[in-house]
Amino acid sequence: METPLTATASDSSSSAASRTERPGVDLRSASLLPPLPSAFLAGDDRDLLEPLAFLAGEEAPPAAPPATDRRELASALAVANAAYGHPAGAALAGKLADPATRVVVTGQQPGLFGGPIYALSKAVAAALWAERLEAAGEPAAAVFWVSTEDHDFREVSRAVFATAGGPLALDLGEDPSPLMPVGMRTFGPALGGVLERLRESNPGERWAGWATRLAEIYRPDVRFGEAFCRLMVELLGERCPLLLDASLPAVKAAERPWLRRIVELRSELEAASAERDERIAGRGHELQVKPQPGASPLFVVHGRERRRVEWREGDRFALRGEDGFEEGVDWLLAAIDENPAVVSPGVLARAAVQDAILGTSILVFGPGEVSYAPQVAPLYDLLGLAPPAVFLRPQALVLGGHQLDKLAGLELSLDELVAADLDLDRALAGGREEDLVAPARAGMEELLERLKDGALRIDPNLEGPWRKTRGQIERALEAFAGRAASAVARRGELARSRAEDLRSACRPLGALQERVLSAAHFPGKYGERFVEAFFEQLALDPRRLQVICPG
């Protein structure tokens, strides 16, 4: 039976009080969640996740952690995290080695300068979950899976910072080696120009110091995964999760039996996946990962390019896009046995393989990951894995105290500011144009109805022209209402300027802040207080867009 957990220091009365004083947005009501996460939060369609459970935040995970031998992996992670400078790496690795420890897992690709801020939200949420379990008497450790085996250079090579002149988008240029896994890449000479633009665009002593520190972590000869891990340690310190580079030899060695099983169970997996896809579509949900007949959830690095495995008849396989490459399945099994580093799980297998070697109790997933989790779920039963609980990560919006003061003085709610379809002129008018137009609209309706009655008594064929006239009048009134709204809004230029600034802070480049701005932006603006505020103010509540105020 699931039982509530006791409060931790991060859920203390003072912290809880400070959270309630800040505005927030109900994600479901504001339509800021994809359909499946929204349904799961409402208690609907959760059977599509089976055997995975959905954790709404207030209950404990299943009764006991799965029995998993993590000693060799933990030993290797202790060494790796010491190299990153993790002050609590050895202690966390020691916990991981204990089979009684509950493991809370999250992860992300190692984006430039930490990637978007939601990567930091994931790490903090995993750490808070581990602390919450510990406070309830359950030994626990948080692990951050750094997805260095992925090959999406576009996703990891860009970063956006806020400046006085607006959002500054930085990138490392075109992909020099398409399909090369991120873990094999260094930043290269383009990084120097990116760091220089960052320094120039953010003047001030605090920013100068932070830019210097970033340049120490991010160097042209450093690999993406290493820099990401060092930055996470720099930001989160002792509360940083244990960092796991997916390309680490000990990780690949631990994956070996599970990669083999996926190959051996390929027919069963394809049938189970097809059945689950049909169930998901039957409930009216769009499949997050489109079915591809014959496509495997595994990739092979061949010639330094990561290519998807595609099954062929007669126990053979090919690599997508590599003409002339076709081998027997025995070749793939031998590769897994001899050098598992060349074989990696794709999006529909990564979580199961990860949970197999870590014995995961709680998976902290983002909205997109929760959306495809039902398609991942069948692999757990096939591999005989104890299924973890899935927790939808909290979503956060960072606003300074001065920004919250501006928000309090506006006739706009936070719900309106984060809405994708905000009409700023009309919203700033505060509905006052209705006071001007509504009486005229009501009177016109009455006059038009009287006109209709009289016209139809004369000639029933006049109904069509009457409807056309009515439509023209309604459109004219609507256009006038819009002009009135603009006029009212223009009377408050200061209010408009403030609203535009807040809108840009909430939705830079037209998307929610957490999906755009770099995690490394805010330490340059707020210093150490930024991460402190994140830990103090972020609640394990997946239902609301939460405001974090560093000061």
Side-chain angles (χ1 to χ4, degrees):
M1 179 177 179
E2 294 177 339
T3 56
L5 295 175
T6 57
T8 69
S10 63
D11 292 320
S12 65
S13 58
S14 61
S15 295
S18 66
R19 281 198 291 268
T20 59
E21 292 165 4
R22 294 186 306 280
V25 176
D26 184 288
L27 292 165
R28 293 188 66 247
S29 298
S31 300
L32 293 175
L33 284 174
L36 271 171
S38 182
F40 295 157
L41 283 175
D44 299 328
D45 294 331
R46 291 187 183 180
D47 60 297
L48 294 177
L49 270 175
E50 293 175 351
L52 304 175
F54 186 78
L55 195 62
E58 68 279 0
E59 69 273 22
T68 307
D69 186 350
R70 302 181 288 239
R71 289 172 295 180
E72 290 189 17
L73 178 59
S75 178
L77 292 179
V79 174
N81 280 260
Y84 306 142
H86 196 319
L92 285 171
K95 284 186 179 181
L96 185 67
D98 183 349
T101 296
R102 289 190 182 276
V103 182
V104 184
V105 180
T106 192
Q108 192 63 35
Q109 292 91 340
L112 180 63
F113 301 132
I117 194 173
Y118 67 75
L120 191 68
S121 297
K122 284 182 167 183
V124 172
L128 288 176
W129 254 116
E131 292 173 7
R132 187 175 179 183
L133 290 165
E134 289 263 330
E138 299 265 12
V143 175
F144 194 103
W145 184 281
V146 185
S147 298
T148 53
E149 293 184 306
D150 286 7
H151 58 270
D152 190 342
F153 183 76
R154 180 180 178 85
E155 182 168 350
V156 301
S157 63
R158 297 167 182 243
V160 177
F161 289 77
T163 71
L168 171 68
L170 303 169
D171 69 77
L172 297 173
E174 294 300 316
D175 187 351
S177 305
L179 301 182
M180 178 185 286
V182 171
M184 298 170 65
R185 299 175 183 263
T186 58
F187 293 103
L191 181 63
V194 167
L195 287 166
E196 187 59 32
R197 287 187 65 197
L198 186 57
R199 289 190 191 93
E200 293 172 351
S201 302
N202 290 281
E205 184 177 345
R206 177 180 288 162
W207 253 109
W210 179 237
T212 297
R213 182 62 185 129
L214 285 177
E216 293 170 350
I217 296 171
Y218 284 83
R219 303 191 310 273
D221 60 332
V222 170
R223 294 183 186 272
F224 278 74
E226 179 187 349
F228 180 89
C229 290
R230 289 184 180 277
L231 179 62
M232 293 295 279
V233 169
E234 178 75 18
L235 294 176
L236 302 179
E238 290 191 354
R239 298 174 83 175
C240 181
L242 192 65
L243 297 161
L244 182 154
D245 183 331
S247 302
L248 196 69
V251 173
K252 298 308 299 179
E255 289 180 353
R256 183 183 285 119
W258 306 105
L259 296 174
R260 282 190 62 94
R261 290 290 289 158
I262 292 173
V263 175
E264 293 163 350
L265 295 170
R266 57 193 180 277
S267 297
E268 293 89 335
L269 176 57
E270 187 169 10
S273 296
E275 188 277 334
R276 184 60 59 97
D277 287 352
E278 186 176 351
R279 281 178 60 193
I280 296 168
R283 299 286 180 87
H285 295 291
E286 185 176 353
L287 295 174
Q288 185 78 0
V289 180
K290 301 300 182 186
Q292 302 175 49
S296 163
L298 299 178
F299 287 76
V300 166
V301 176
H302 190 255
R304 297 177 69 83
E305 293 182 332
R306 184 172 183 254
R307 295 186 179 275
R308 183 181 292 279
V309 170
E310 294 184 330
W311 304 125
R312 297 286 190 261
E313 293 183 2
D315 289 334
R316 298 183 67 78
F317 77 98
L319 297 181
R320 179 176 295 174
E322 180 130 344
D323 295 338
F325 183 98
E326 186 172 322
E327 294 286 350
V329 168
D330 288 344
W331 184 98
L332 183 57
L333 293 172
I336 292 171
D337 289 339
E338 297 166 11
N339 185 15
V342 303
V343 182
S344 59
V347 68
L348 292 185
R350 181 187 300 120
V353 171
Q354 156 197 291
D355 298 337
I357 69 172
L358 289 172
T360 307
S361 288
I362 299 176
L363 269 175
V364 178
F365 266 177
E369 293 163 319
V370 171
S371 295
Y372 65 68
Q375 294 177 267
V376 174
L379 193 51
Y380 286 83
D381 278 342
L382 282 174
L383 296 180
L385 300 176
V390 172
F391 177 71
L392 176 63
R393 69 165 175 82
Q395 298 194 42
L397 170 65
V398 181
L399 295 175
H402 67 290
Q403 291 172 313
L404 291 180
D405 290 341
K406 288 180 180 179
L407 177 60
L410 286 179
E411 294 183 7
L412 282 175
S413 67
L414 186 60
D415 297 59
E416 291 174 298
L417 278 173
V418 301
D421 58 351
L422 172 66
D423 182 334
L424 195 55
D425 281 345
R426 180 157 296 195
L428 285 173
R432 281 169 285 185
E433 77 279 6
E434 286 299 324
D435 296 335
L436 182 66
V437 176
R441 182 179 279 118
M444 189 63 67
E445 283 287 339
E446 182 179 350
L447 287 172
L448 285 169
E449 288 299 321
R450 287 164 52 188
L451 177 62
K452 176 184 178 182
D453 291 342
L456 295 184
R457 281 197 297 270
I458 296 171
D459 184 353
N461 292 324
L462 290 175
E463 183 171 2
W466 175 85
R467 290 186 180 280
K468 183 176 180 181
T469 301
R470 177 180 178 174
Q472 292 170 336
I473 292 172
E474 287 177 343
R475 288 191 293 274
L477 282 173
E478 186 64 25
F480 182 78
R483 290 180 179 236
S486 298
V488 172
R490 283 194 297 273
R491 288 167 55 189
E493 287 301 324
L494 178 59
R496 181 180 181 84
S497 175
R498 288 178 172 177
E500 287 176 340
D501 288 346
L502 286 170
R503 173 70 168 174
S504 179
C506 294
R507 293 188 67 93
L509 302 181
L512 286 177
Q513 180 199 81
E514 67 160 17
R515 306 199 67 81
V516 177
L517 289 190
S518 167
H521 165 72
F522 297 99
K525 183 174 184 179
Y526 296 106
E528 293 181 358
R529 177 60 191 153
F530 166 63
V531 172
E532 292 173 0
F534 231 101
F535 273 109
E536 290 172 4
Q537 299 173 16
L538 189 71
L540 292 174
D541 178 5
R543 302 177 186 276
R544 295 180 64 76
L545 176 64
Q546 304 175 45
V547 171
I548 306 298
C549 181

